[in-house]
């Protein structure tokens, strides 16, 4: 029992294929934009200072030892 694919089928197939491609492209562009925005937002934070830079000596650490 064979069926033939009518011109109406091919017309609907083409319309649905183009619609699916359009939806795919739009969603891909939206997700790419979202990822870029999130990446840029994280990149604008200043980097954490190294452990050596966090130590700030007080004036008493700079005093010269006195020998009597």
């Amino acid at each position: 029992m064979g069926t033939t694919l009518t011109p109406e089928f091919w017309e609907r197939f083409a319309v649905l294929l183009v619609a699916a491609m359009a939806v795919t492209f739009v969603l891909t562009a939206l997700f790419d934009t979202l990822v870029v925005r999130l990446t840029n937002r994280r990149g604008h934070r200043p980097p954490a200072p190294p452990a050596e830079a966090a130590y700030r000596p007080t004036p008493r650490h700079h005093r010269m030892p006195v020998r009597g």
Side-chain angles (χ1 to χ4, degrees), residues 26-49:
V26 168
L27 288 178
T28 301
L30 289 175
F31 286 131
D32 284 346
T33 303
L34 179 64
V35 168
V36 168
R37 285 186 182 178
L38 289 176
T39 303
N40 285 341
R41 186 175 296 171
R42 289 182 187 165
H44 288 296
R45 293 182 183 169

Side-chain angles (χ1 to χ4, degrees), residues 2-52:
T3 59
T4 59
L5 300 177
T6 63
E8 182 184 359
F9 167 81
W10 289 113
E11 183 180 332
R12 287 184 183 175
F13 175 78
V15 169
L16 290 174
L17 180 64
V18 169
M21 289 171 54
V23 168
T24 301
F25 292 147
V26 168
L27 288 178
T28 301
L30 289 175
F31 286 131
D32 284 346
T33 303
L34 179 64
V35 168
V36 168
R37 285 186 182 178
L38 289 176
T39 303
N40 285 341
R41 186 175 296 171
R42 289 182 187 165
H44 288 296
R45 293 182 183 169
E52 299 87 28

